[in-house]
């Protein structure tokens, strides 16, 4: 494991991706309390909400109010998701939203139609308009992400070359315009990845763009999330999207029980890193308490393991005190 990173960065998405898929609404004060609890853990980035159609995702209809309610901690970036110009304009008009340039692409036409009402090629066609807007607004590019990078519930298998090709295109497009190249994210939106596929896609992407920084957005839909994280860590990947307590999932991903489609669990993956000697800058015990708060808010057992079992650090401390 000589390629293990020294430090891993987790981009927390639970407050947004977690609640968008839940049935029904949850009180604004409870969701703000979860963001505030996560702010005290050492996480540097928290995705608070999304500025999307309230008809399509009613759970996110109060994004502006949520940003107005949270208590911001210095040094923490509070960001959001948008899918179109209207959402972007709402995000920019909302105080406290950290705005960075991002490109969203698809390795599946079927999923692109469900999620963005366009084909993958049409999504590419919109990128230059976004880059124009970001440049005009002085917004720096940060990430390019390709969804359904490992497989699609509507289209089936996805060739690694297709997902990698989308990211290479995004990189080259930014370079050609004199914009800083983004970090490149492979997103296992529907839980099709396995460790071998993770290694293969990362290797192919690095062969094509040796200088690129690679990140992963993984879902634990079919139980391979932690194994996929480990495979990526062994290849030196140090940027992961994750969700506290294993919350999350895409409401348009076509899972029979969408609530079973959570993202990789932040506290469980932080624990994995710490046990392997990898730094994260995160207070694991505080993160566990935030996960327990998330479970109380949702009102049913969530998929995170550590919040139920406790960390080994806490166990060792109890043993030492006995």
């Amino acid at each position: 494991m000589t390629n293990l990173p020294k430090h891993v960065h987790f981009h927390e998405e639970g407050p947004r991706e977690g609640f968008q898929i839940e049935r029904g609404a949850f009180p604004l004060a409870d969701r703000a309390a979860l963001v505030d609890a996560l702010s005290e853990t050492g996480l540097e980035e928290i995705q608070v909400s999304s500025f999307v159609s309230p008809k399509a995702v009613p759970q996110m209809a109060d994004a502006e109010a949520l940003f107005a309610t949270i208590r911001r901690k210095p040094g923490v970036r509070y960001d959001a998701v948008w899918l179109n110009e209207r959402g972007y304009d709402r995000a920019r008009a909302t105080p406290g939203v950290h705005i960075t340039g991002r490109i969203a692409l698809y390795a599946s036409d079927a999923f692109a139609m469900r999620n963005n009402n366009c084909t993958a090629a049409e999504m590419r066609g919109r990128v230059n308009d976004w880059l124009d807007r970001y440049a005009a607004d002085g917004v720096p590019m940060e990430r390019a992400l390709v969804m359904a990078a490992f497989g699609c519930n509507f289209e089936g298998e996805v060739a690694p070359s297709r997902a990698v090709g989308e990211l290479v295109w995004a990189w080259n497009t930014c370079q050609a315009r004199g914009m800083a190249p983004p970090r490149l994210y492979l997103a296992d939106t529907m839980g099709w990845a396995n460790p071998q596929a993770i290694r293969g896609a990362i290797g192919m992407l690095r062969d094509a763009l040796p200088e690129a920084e690679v990140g992963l957005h993984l879902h634990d839909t079919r139980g391979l999330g932690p194994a996929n994280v480990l495979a990526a860590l062994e290849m030196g990947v140090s940027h992961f999207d994750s969700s506290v307590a294993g919350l999350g999932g895409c409401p348009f991903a076509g899972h029979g029980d969408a609530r079973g489609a959570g993202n990789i669990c932040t506290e469980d993956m932080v624990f994995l890193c710490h046990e392997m000697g990898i730094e994260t800058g995160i207070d694991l015990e505080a993160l566990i308490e935030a996960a327990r708060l998330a479970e109380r808010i949702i009102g049913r057992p969530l998929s995170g393991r550590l919040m139920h079992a406790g960390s080994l650090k806490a166990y060792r401390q109890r043993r030492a005190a006995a």
Side-chain angles (χ1 to χ4, degrees):
M1 297 186 183
T2 56
N3 291 326
L4 288 176
K6 292 182 171 58
H7 187 280
V8 165
H9 176 88
F10 287 95
H11 177 220
E12 173 58 51
E13 298 194 342
R16 191 275 304 177
E17 185 144 357
F19 286 90
Q20 75 172 9
I21 201 168
E22 290 295 324
R23 302 184 183 103
F26 294 85
L28 179 70
D30 286 350
R31 288 179 287 131
L34 177 59
V35 174
D36 293 343
L38 291 167
S39 298
E40 299 298 326
T41 65
L43 285 163
E44 296 177 347
E45 289 185 288
I46 302 171
Q47 196 165 86
V48 174
S49 189
S50 57
F51 293 89
V52 293
S53 167
K55 292 183 179 179
V57 190
Q59 300 89 336
M60 300 287 107
D62 59 357
E64 288 90 347
L66 182 54
F67 270 97
T69 304
I70 62 174
R71 298 193 306 269
R72 292 176 182 80
K73 183 171 182 177
V76 180
R77 293 167 45 171
Y78 300 91
D79 66 7
V81 163
W82 56 83
L83 298 178
N84 53 36
E85 284 203 60
R86 182 177 180 184
Y88 173 67
D89 289 338
R90 285 177 59 197
R92 290 193 72 229
T94 301
V97 179
H98 183 79
I99 303 291
T100 57
R102 61 194 64 172
I103 297 171
L105 297 164
Y106 293 89
S108 161
D109 284 313
F111 184 54
M113 289 299 300
R114 285 178 174 262
N115 204 44
N116 254 101
N117 197 32
C118 66
T119 66
E122 288 170 340
M123 196 67 179
R124 267 196 191 192
R126 299 176 183 181
V127 165
N128 279 312
D129 291 338
W130 277 114
L131 295 182
D132 287 341
R133 184 71 188 274
Y134 292 149
D137 294 338
V139 173
M141 280 302 303
E142 181 168 280
R143 66 157 63 191
L145 176 144
V146 58
M147 289 176 268
F150 297 91
C152 175
N153 289 345
F154 310 106
E155 198 167 302
E157 304 291 339
V158 171
S161 58
R162 185 173 181 185
V164 169
E166 293 294 320
L167 294 178
V168 170
W169 177 87
W171 176 282
N172 290 336
T173 300
C174 289
Q175 288 279 63
R177 295 172 61 105
M179 304 179 77
R183 185 179 302 118
L184 304 179
Y185 279 79
L186 294 155
D188 185 26
T189 316
M190 287 167 267
W192 282 59
N194 60 63
Q196 184 176 2
I198 291 287
R199 295 187 191 98
I202 293 171
M204 184 181 296
L205 185 54
R206 285 180 172 161
D207 286 344
L209 295 169
E211 68 274 42
E213 187 172 20
V214 179
L216 289 175
H217 178 103
L218 300 174
H219 287 231
D220 194 27
T221 313
R222 295 175 173 86
L224 293 183
N228 293 337
V229 171
L230 179 58
L233 288 172
E234 291 173 349
M235 296 191 73
V237 173
S238 60
H239 284 265
F240 296 89
D241 295 338
S242 61
S243 290
V244 64
L247 287 166
C250 175
F252 308 109
H255 297 289
D257 180 359
R259 293 180 301 171
N263 292 35
I264 54 170
C265 176
T266 308
E267 67 273 13
D268 290 3
M269 297 305 98
V270 169
F271 172 70
L272 172 65
C273 288
H274 288 185
E275 289 297 305
M276 295 172 66
I278 301 171
E279 298 177 0
T280 66
I282 294 172
D283 180 338
L284 182 57
E285 300 306 320
L287 186 57
I288 291 171
E289 288 307 311
R292 291 169 178 161
L293 173 61
E295 186 171 76
R296 291 195 297 273
I297 293 170
I298 295 297
R300 69 169 192 280
L302 297 177
S303 62
R305 301 295 185 89
L306 205 64
M307 64 176 172
H308 300 129
S311 71
L312 288 180
K313 178 181 178 181
Y315 172 79
R316 290 162 183 149
Q317 289 174 338
R318 290 194 301 269
R319 292 276 295 178

